[in-house]
Amino acid sequence: GSVYEGLLEYEPVFLYNDNAIEFAFAVGDERSRTGSHYTPDDLVQPLIKHSLDYLIADRLKASNPEAALLSLRVADISCGSGHILLAAARRIATELAIVRTGEEQPSPSAFRSAIRDVIRNCIYGVDLNPLAVELCKVALWLEAHIPGQPLNFLDHHIKCGNAIVGFAHREEMQKGVPDEAFVTMPGDDKEVVAELRKRNKVERIRQGKQVSFAFTPEIDQSFSLSLKQWHEIASLPERTPSEIEEKKRRYQEFATGKDSCLLHQIASIPIAQFYIEKTCGNRSSIITDDEYSQYLSGQQSPNEQAIAMVQAIAERKNFFHWFLEFPEIIENGGFDCILGNPPFLGGQKLSGTYGLAQLEYLKYAYAPIGAVDLVTYFFRRIFTLIKDKGFQSLISTNTIAQGSAREGGLDVIVAQGGTINHAVRSMKWPGIAAVEVALVTITKQPWKGKFILAGKEVSTITPYLDDASTLGNPLPLKENEGKSFQGSIVLGKGFVLEPQEAEALIKKNPKNKDVLFPYLNGDDLNSNPDQSPSRWVINFFDWPEEKCSDEYPDCFEIVEHLVKPERISYDEKKNSWNKSVKENWWKFGAWRKGLDEAIKTRRKVLVVARVTKYIQ
């Protein structure tokens, strides 16, 4: 889900955190509850206005506007509890009810009938959290329910999966198994990795990659049958409970059928190779490019052990192949509009949350890109899912227009034919989280309409989310080298001391002052008027263990007792700490030697916390 999903008064609000989902009801004025000057809906409505409204206006010009409106395909690929999808459905339904009745203000019953049809035909959603998927369906059911009629069947439209891990189009399968899948990870055998990478390179060169190869007739037939079955299921009526049950049965039969399982299996093979541990024990379960190519061309089938490994990883990591999950949409060019509030997660936290293997896959799949905020990958994936002249309109962190996130996100999208037609560069999140967000709307076409930047019409909007002409990305200046640093990353609360603890250690042994220092963090910087640190820290620099334990036994004992157990028990397979960090447990995760050297000769420095725009 997202940082905060809020609905307006008298509607359910879902607050998401890492451990639980909290239910509440927002009653009264949302402005007073959050202390902001606008509501969450004030973020959503501009997204709709500058994307979906254009599509609706175009459909209303059609000879059959009712059918044209119901042909719209709108999605949220991090849908959470469905707030944004509900807003989109209401907007389309309002126009549909007006068309049907000829009234400017249709009756509640006419609107209810219209929104039921809109949700049945137009609305799609995906979320990684299975509970969020169920909540979204409940929200849509409540909105579309008509007394005496069964609830809509939504399982084929609202699905659970990792929206950014998987293939968008079936042609991506033909690229084979990439060399990037064979990078040494924590827990891998370096010799096994080297041998596999070398073998894969040779196989790809021998096959003349990047040359695509044809699918077997059986695989092509599975694609065709899958699309045919999807059309049949989508067209089944939903007027009675028995019809709903029949539609559900047909869909489950389709989703678990031989053809569907075969296609999911084939699509998952290249991606799964990023996740499999490269060890002697797993060697027979690893599929390189030659074996995969022979599988697709019908020359041989991979061994059962390898396929079982692929299926287990795909299910555990929730691979989501769009051309298989929504075949009708992808075959028709994609969605008309994707709205949403994709999850925010800093680049350095990605591997810690989802694993280093997933980060390596994302960097390959969305190249050129690095370890950027999670929302950037969503921007890139969404652009591949919208059709020509379609729109994506998203809430993002304001870092989307900055640094590597801009270079790997908006810069790439614009270079691929996207046009930013609406943006708000930065605004405060109208909720509990202290976050600055941006609103960005992109259309896949040369835009001839209005460009709206922060509510004002401008002549253009750049990937920097401004209207200034640009000569390209800035280049680093050699003369500024060694002047700007990220602070040290301690990586262990056991290093940190209260002032009285540090004073006691120095009083006990004055030599301890060599490794005890005031510890300034962002909270101190922004909260204390004199920017004074509230705590101290033990820093053994890059010294060897023997020196630290022999010369500073009191400080070393604290770190050994509090930091070592955490570092030693750390699971390298799931996170991004490297082997050196685990073995050198008495040292910071990253000591910035260059920073320490640079400030020794300076009387003043400028400091800025990562979560603020103010420099101290």
Side-chain angles (χ1 to χ4, degrees):
S2 306
V3 174
Y4 171 85
E5 291 254 356
L7 306 183
L8 297 184
E9 50 187 331
Y10 301 108
E11 294 182 319
V13 172
F14 306 105
L15 301 178
Y16 285 74
N17 57 43
D18 291 336
N19 303 313
I21 294 183
E22 178 182 342
F23 297 89
F25 281 88
V27 180
D29 190 354
E30 180 72 18
R31 292 174 176 84
S32 62
R33 193 182 71 80
T34 64
S36 302
H37 296 296
Y38 50 90
T39 72
D41 206 51
D42 292 331
L43 298 182
V44 176
Q45 291 307 317
L47 303 184
I48 292 174
K49 177 180 179 181
H50 297 286
S51 59
L52 183 57
D53 276 2
Y54 288 118
L55 296 168
I56 290 173
D58 185 61
R59 295 303 197 279
L60 291 174
K61 298 174 185 176
S63 57
N64 185 346
E66 177 177 348
L69 286 170
L70 289 174
S71 73
L72 284 169
R73 298 294 180 261
V74 181
D76 182 348
I77 72 170
S78 55
C79 61
S81 59
H83 173 211
I84 293 177
L85 286 178
L86 279 173
R90 290 166 182 157
R91 181 69 189 89
I92 300 171
T94 297
E95 294 300 330
L96 179 61
I98 291 172
V99 167
R100 286 175 169 176
T101 64
E103 302 170 352
E104 290 188 8
Q105 293 186 332
S107 67
S109 61
F111 175 80
R112 181 74 70 173
S113 176
I115 202 165
R116 179 181 175 87
D117 289 339
V118 168
I119 289 174
R120 178 173 182 259
N121 290 280
C122 306
I123 301 301
Y124 295 75
V126 178
D127 200 282
L128 182 59
N129 185 338
L131 182 53
V133 171
E134 295 306 313
L135 290 173
C136 181
K137 287 193 284 189
V138 168
L140 293 172
W141 278 328
L142 292 174
E143 188 75 17
H145 178 58
I146 295 177
Q149 294 191 27
L151 299 175
N152 287 101
F153 178 73
L154 297 175
D155 290 0
H156 64 321
H157 277 207
I158 311 298
K159 297 191 173 189
C160 183
N162 192 328
I164 60 174
V165 177
F167 292 144
H169 306 276
R170 72 173 182 170
E171 291 77 18
E172 295 171 46
M173 295 165 56
Q174 296 174 305
K175 294 180 180 179
V177 180
D179 296 333
E180 290 82 355
F182 304 103
V183 175
T184 304
M185 305 280 184
D188 286 349
D189 185 312
K190 291 183 179 180
E191 293 183 0
V192 172
V193 175
E195 185 272 324
L196 288 169
R197 188 176 179 87
K198 181 178 179 180
R199 184 207 304 177
N200 206 71
K201 280 186 175 181
V202 170
E203 291 173 356
R204 291 179 68 81
I205 292 172
R206 185 169 62 242
Q207 295 187 46
K209 287 283 170 52
Q210 310 290 341
V211 178
S212 297
F213 42 84
F215 295 114
T216 65
E218 291 78 13
I219 293 176
D220 272 328
Q221 184 179 3
S222 293
F223 280 127
S224 299
L225 185 59
S226 177
L227 183 60
K228 179 183 177 183
Q229 289 177 329
W230 179 272
H231 280 296
E232 291 175 353
I233 292 167
S235 62
L236 290 174
E238 301 180 16
R239 295 164 299 195
T240 65
S242 60
E243 288 179 345
I244 294 290
E245 283 301 314
E246 173 62 13
K247 193 166 188 175
K248 182 178 181 179
R249 185 192 67 78
R250 289 280 301 274
Y251 174 69
Q252 289 176 341
E253 191 177 79
F254 160 77
T256 59
K258 179 181 176 181
D259 292 292
S260 179
C261 290
L262 171 67
L263 294 174
H264 277 87
Q265 177 190 104
I266 297 171
S268 297
I269 288 174
I271 303 172
Q273 306 315 304
F274 283 85
Y275 293 84
I276 299 174
E277 286 185 24
K278 282 70 175 180
T279 62
C280 291
N282 283 340
R283 192 190 295 265
S284 60
S285 298
I286 296 171
I287 299 173
T288 54
D289 193 69
D290 190 43
E291 185 178 358
Y292 182 63
S293 301
Q294 291 182 38
Y295 186 23
L296 287 192
S297 59
Q299 299 176 48
Q300 74 172 63
S301 298
N303 67 71
E304 292 183 4
Q305 183 179 348
I307 288 300
M309 178 78 80
V310 167
Q311 290 177 328
I313 292 173
E315 290 176 10
R316 188 170 72 250
K317 297 298 181 179
N318 290 290
F319 293 176
F320 196 87
H321 305 296
W322 290 85
F323 69 98
L324 297 176
E325 300 293 346
F326 300 125
E328 177 193 40
I329 301 295
I330 302 304
E331 286 291 325
N332 288 332
F335 292 95
D336 295 290
C337 183
I338 297 181
L339 305 163
N341 174 22
F344 315 148
L345 187 66
Q348 289 191 352
K349 297 179 181 179
L350 277 178
S351 53
T353 303
Y354 297 106
L356 191 56
Q358 180 155 311
L359 177 59
E360 290 300 321
Y361 167 73
L362 292 175
K363 287 160 61 177
Y364 156 74
Y366 297 93
I369 204 167
V372 296
D373 194 298
L374 184 62
V375 72
T376 311
Y377 300 105
F378 273 85
F379 266 74
R380 291 283 305 281
R381 167 44 52 93
I382 288 169
F383 192 70
T384 68
L385 297 174
I386 58 173
K387 61 173 56 175
D388 288 341
K389 297 185 179 180
F391 290 82
Q392 63 183 74
S393 199
L394 309 172
I395 302 169
S396 167
T397 54
N398 61 355
T399 57
I400 193 67
Q402 302 170 16
S404 57
R406 184 198 69 251
E407 293 170 6
L410 296 181
D411 279 354
V412 175
I413 289 172
V414 169
Q416 293 175 348
T419 305
I420 304 170
N421 65 291
H422 156 253
V424 177
R425 183 182 178 88
S426 186
M427 61 192 298
K428 188 180 182 303
W429 179 258
I432 300 171
V435 179
E436 290 286 326
V437 299
L439 307 183
V440 185
T441 304
I442 300 169
T443 182
K444 191 181 281 189
Q445 61 181 311
W447 184 242
K448 297 180 181 179
K450 294 181 179 180
F451 292 86
I452 305 298
L453 179 63
K456 297 180 180 179
E457 186 173 351
V458 295
S459 58
T460 188
I461 301 176
T462 74
Y464 291 85
L465 302 188
D466 62 26
D467 59 339
S469 59
T470 176
L471 300 177
N473 292 326
L475 300 174
L477 296 176
K478 187 69 177 177
E479 66 178 23
N480 284 343
E481 190 175 47
K483 294 182 180 179
S484 178
F485 305 85
Q486 180 184 4
S488 294
I489 300 174
V490 174
L491 218 56
K493 294 181 180 179
F495 288 106
V496 182
L497 304 171
E498 293 299 321
Q500 58 271 24
E501 294 177 291
E503 292 172 7
L505 287 167
I506 294 171
K507 186 175 181 180
K508 181 178 180 180
N509 183 356
K511 187 175 175 60
N512 286 333
K513 195 169 185 179
D514 296 346
V515 295
L516 293 172
F517 302 92
Y519 180 51
L520 180 69
N521 63 15
D523 187 51
D524 294 331
L525 187 70
N526 293 334
S527 301
N528 299 339
D530 59 354
Q531 287 87 50
S532 60
S534 61
R535 296 174 295 172
W536 284 58
V537 71
I538 301 171
N539 185 5
F540 288 126
F541 305 99
D542 55 358
W543 297 343
E545 182 178 358
E546 295 75 16
K547 173 181 173 68
C548 303
S549 60
D550 292 346
E551 299 183 24
Y552 309 95
D554 299 319
C555 296
F556 186 83
E557 183 181 354
I558 293 173
V559 175
E560 185 176 31
H561 177 66
L562 298 177
V563 177
K564 184 178 180 179
E566 180 184 359
R567 294 276 187 96
I568 295 300
S569 63
Y570 172 77
D571 188 350
E572 297 175 25
K573 300 173 185 178
K574 296 181 179 179
N575 297 281
S576 60
W577 295 356
N578 56 41
K579 189 176 182 181
S580 175
V581 168
K582 186 173 182 178
E583 293 177 347
N584 296 279
W585 51 264
W586 66 93
K587 301 177 185 178
F588 285 178
W591 170 53
R592 307 301 185 189
K593 183 177 181 181
L595 172 60
D596 284 8
E597 294 294 331
I599 63 178
K600 281 180 182 178
T601 59
R602 287 168 172 78
R603 188 168 59 89
K604 293 183 178 181
V605 296
L606 294 175
V607 185
V608 60
R610 293 182 64 191
V611 295
T612 183
K613 58 186 178 182
Y614 300 110
I615 296 178
Q616 308 290 349

Short mmCIF file of all heavy atoms in Angstrom, two decimals, residues 90-112:
data_model
loop_
_atom_site.label_atom_id
_atom_site.label_comp_id
_atom_site.label_asym_id
_atom_site.label_seq_id
_atom_site.Cartn_x
_atom_site.Cartn_y
_atom_site.Cartn_z
N ARG A 90 -16.05 6.96 -9.98
CA ARG A 90 -17.11 7.94 -9.79
C ARG A 90 -17.11 8.98 -10.91
O ARG A 90 -18.17 9.40 -11.39
CB ARG A 90 -16.95 8.63 -8.44
CG ARG A 90 -17.23 7.74 -7.25
CD ARG A 90 -16.73 8.37 -5.97
NE ARG A 90 -16.94 7.50 -4.81
CZ ARG A 90 -16.24 7.57 -3.70
NH1 ARG A 90 -15.28 8.47 -3.57
NH2 ARG A 90 -16.49 6.75 -2.70
N ARG A 91 -15.91 9.35 -11.33
CA ARG A 91 -15.81 10.38 -12.38
C ARG A 91 -16.38 9.85 -13.69
O ARG A 91 -17.15 10.55 -14.38
CB ARG A 91 -14.34 10.79 -12.56
CG ARG A 91 -14.12 11.86 -13.59
CD ARG A 91 -14.68 13.20 -13.16
NE ARG A 91 -14.63 14.17 -14.26
CZ ARG A 91 -15.61 14.33 -15.14
NH1 ARG A 91 -16.73 13.61 -15.05
NH2 ARG A 91 -15.49 15.21 -16.11
N ILE A 92 -16.02 8.64 -14.07
CA ILE A 92 -16.54 8.07 -15.31
C ILE A 92 -18.04 7.82 -15.19
O ILE A 92 -18.82 8.10 -16.12
CB ILE A 92 -15.81 6.75 -15.65
CG1 ILE A 92 -14.31 6.98 -15.81
CG2 ILE A 92 -16.38 6.13 -16.93
CD1 ILE A 92 -13.49 5.70 -15.93
N ALA A 93 -18.46 7.31 -14.03
CA ALA A 93 -19.87 6.98 -13.83
C ALA A 93 -20.76 8.22 -13.91
O ALA A 93 -21.90 8.16 -14.40
CB ALA A 93 -20.06 6.28 -12.49
N THR A 94 -20.26 9.34 -13.42
CA THR A 94 -21.05 10.59 -13.48
C THR A 94 -21.38 10.92 -14.92
O THR A 94 -22.54 11.23 -15.27
CB THR A 94 -20.27 11.73 -12.82
OG1 THR A 94 -20.07 11.43 -11.44
CG2 THR A 94 -21.03 13.04 -12.94
N GLU A 95 -20.37 10.85 -15.79
CA GLU A 95 -20.60 11.18 -17.21
C GLU A 95 -21.46 10.11 -17.88
O GLU A 95 -22.31 10.42 -18.72
CB GLU A 95 -19.27 11.31 -17.94
CG GLU A 95 -18.42 12.48 -17.49
CD GLU A 95 -19.11 13.82 -17.71
OE1 GLU A 95 -19.93 13.93 -18.67
OE2 GLU A 95 -18.84 14.76 -16.94
N LEU A 96 -21.27 8.85 -17.49
CA LEU A 96 -22.08 7.78 -18.07
C LEU A 96 -23.55 7.95 -17.70
O LEU A 96 -24.44 7.78 -18.55
CB LEU A 96 -21.56 6.42 -17.59
CG LEU A 96 -22.31 5.19 -18.10
CD1 LEU A 96 -22.23 5.11 -19.62
CD2 LEU A 96 -21.74 3.92 -17.47
N ALA A 97 -23.82 8.30 -16.46
CA ALA A 97 -25.21 8.50 -16.02
C ALA A 97 -25.85 9.68 -16.75
O ALA A 97 -27.03 9.64 -17.12
CB ALA A 97 -25.25 8.72 -14.51
N ILE A 98 -25.07 10.74 -16.96
CA ILE A 98 -25.58 11.91 -17.70
C ILE A 98 -25.93 11.52 -19.13
O ILE A 98 -26.98 11.92 -19.68
CB ILE A 98 -24.54 13.04 -17.68
CG1 ILE A 98 -24.40 13.61 -16.26
CG2 ILE A 98 -24.91 14.14 -18.67
CD1 ILE A 98 -23.26 14.61 -16.11
N VAL A 99 -25.05 10.73 -19.76
CA VAL A 99 -25.31 10.29 -21.14
C VAL A 99 -26.58 9.44 -21.20
O VAL A 99 -27.42 9.60 -22.10
CB VAL A 99 -24.10 9.50 -21.68
CG1 VAL A 99 -24.47 8.76 -22.98
CG2 VAL A 99 -22.92 10.43 -21.92
N ARG A 100 -26.74 8.56 -20.25
CA ARG A 100 -27.88 7.64 -20.27
C ARG A 100 -29.21 8.34 -19.99
O ARG A 100 -30.24 8.01 -20.60
CB ARG A 100 -27.66 6.53 -19.23
CG ARG A 100 -26.64 5.49 -19.65
CD ARG A 100 -26.39 4.49 -18.54
NE ARG A 100 -25.61 3.35 -19.00
CZ ARG A 100 -25.19 2.35 -18.20
NH1 ARG A 100 -25.51 2.36 -16.90
NH2 ARG A 100 -24.49 1.36 -18.69
N THR A 101 -29.18 9.30 -19.07
CA THR A 101 -30.44 9.93 -18.66
C THR A 101 -30.72 11.24 -19.38
O THR A 101 -31.85 11.69 -19.43
CB THR A 101 -30.42 10.22 -17.15
OG1 THR A 101 -29.38 11.17 -16.86
CG2 THR A 101 -30.18 8.95 -16.36
N GLY A 102 -29.66 11.88 -19.90
CA GLY A 102 -29.83 13.19 -20.50
C GLY A 102 -30.02 14.28 -19.47
O GLY A 102 -30.34 15.43 -19.83
N GLU A 103 -29.81 13.95 -18.19
CA GLU A 103 -29.97 14.92 -17.11
C GLU A 103 -28.60 15.40 -16.61
O GLU A 103 -27.66 14.61 -16.51
CB GLU A 103 -30.75 14.29 -15.95
CG GLU A 103 -32.12 13.78 -16.35
CD GLU A 103 -32.77 12.95 -15.25
OE1 GLU A 103 -32.06 12.66 -14.25
OE2 GLU A 103 -33.95 12.57 -15.39
N GLU A 104 -28.52 16.67 -16.26
CA GLU A 104 -27.26 17.19 -15.74
C GLU A 104 -26.95 16.63 -14.36
O GLU A 104 -25.79 16.48 -13.99
CB GLU A 104 -27.31 18.72 -15.70
CG GLU A 104 -27.28 19.38 -17.06
CD GLU A 104 -27.15 20.89 -16.95
OE1 GLU A 104 -26.93 21.39 -15.83
OE2 GLU A 104 -27.27 21.55 -17.99
N GLN A 105 -27.96 16.33 -13.60
CA GLN A 105 -27.79 15.74 -12.28
C GLN A 105 -28.63 14.46 -12.19
O GLN A 105 -29.78 14.49 -11.74
CB GLN A 105 -28.20 16.73 -11.18
CG GLN A 105 -27.27 17.94 -11.09
CD GLN A 105 -27.62 18.82 -9.90
OE1 GLN A 105 -28.76 18.86 -9.45
NE2 GLN A 105 -26.62 19.50 -9.39
N PRO A 106 -28.08 13.35 -12.63
CA PRO A 106 -28.83 12.09 -12.63
C PRO A 106 -29.23 11.67 -11.22
O PRO A 106 -28.60 12.05 -10.23
CB PRO A 106 -27.83 11.09 -13.24
CG PRO A 106 -26.86 11.94 -13.98
CD PRO A 106 -26.74 13.21 -13.21
N SER A 107 -30.25 10.87 -11.12
CA SER A 107 -30.73 10.38 -9.83
C SER A 107 -29.70 9.44 -9.21
O SER A 107 -28.87 8.87 -9.91
CB SER A 107 -32.05 9.64 -10.01
OG SER A 107 -31.83 8.46 -10.76
N PRO A 108 -29.76 9.23 -7.88
CA PRO A 108 -28.85 8.28 -7.22
C PRO A 108 -28.93 6.89 -7.81
O PRO A 108 -27.91 6.21 -7.93
CB PRO A 108 -29.33 8.30 -5.76
CG PRO A 108 -29.92 9.67 -5.58
CD PRO A 108 -30.57 9.98 -6.89
N SER A 109 -30.11 6.44 -8.19
CA SER A 109 -30.24 5.10 -8.76
C SER A 109 -29.57 5.02 -10.13
O SER A 109 -28.93 4.00 -10.46
CB SER A 109 -31.71 4.71 -8.88
OG SER A 109 -32.41 5.61 -9.73
N ALA A 110 -29.67 6.09 -10.92
CA ALA A 110 -29.01 6.11 -12.24
C ALA A 110 -27.49 6.11 -12.07
O ALA A 110 -26.76 5.43 -12.81
CB ALA A 110 -29.45 7.33 -13.03
N PHE A 111 -27.02 6.87 -11.08
CA PHE A 111 -25.58 6.91 -10.82
C PHE A 111 -25.09 5.55 -10.32
O PHE A 111 -24.05 5.06 -10.74
CB PHE A 111 -25.26 7.98 -9.79
CG PHE A 111 -23.81 8.01 -9.38
CD1 PHE A 111 -22.85 8.61 -10.18
CD2 PHE A 111 -23.38 7.40 -8.20
CE1 PHE A 111 -21.51 8.62 -9.83
CE2 PHE A 111 -22.06 7.41 -7.82
CZ PHE A 111 -21.11 8.02 -8.64
N ARG A 112 -25.88 4.92 -9.44
CA ARG A 112 -25.48 3.63 -8.89
C ARG A 112 -25.39 2.58 -9.99
O ARG A 112 -24.46 1.76 -10.02
CB ARG A 112 -26.48 3.19 -7.82
CG ARG A 112 -26.18 1.88 -7.16
CD ARG A 112 -25.05 1.95 -6.19
NE ARG A 112 -25.38 2.70 -5.00
CZ ARG A 112 -24.60 2.79 -3.93
NH1 ARG A 112 -23.44 2.17 -3.92
NH2 ARG A 112 -24.95 3.51 -2.89
#
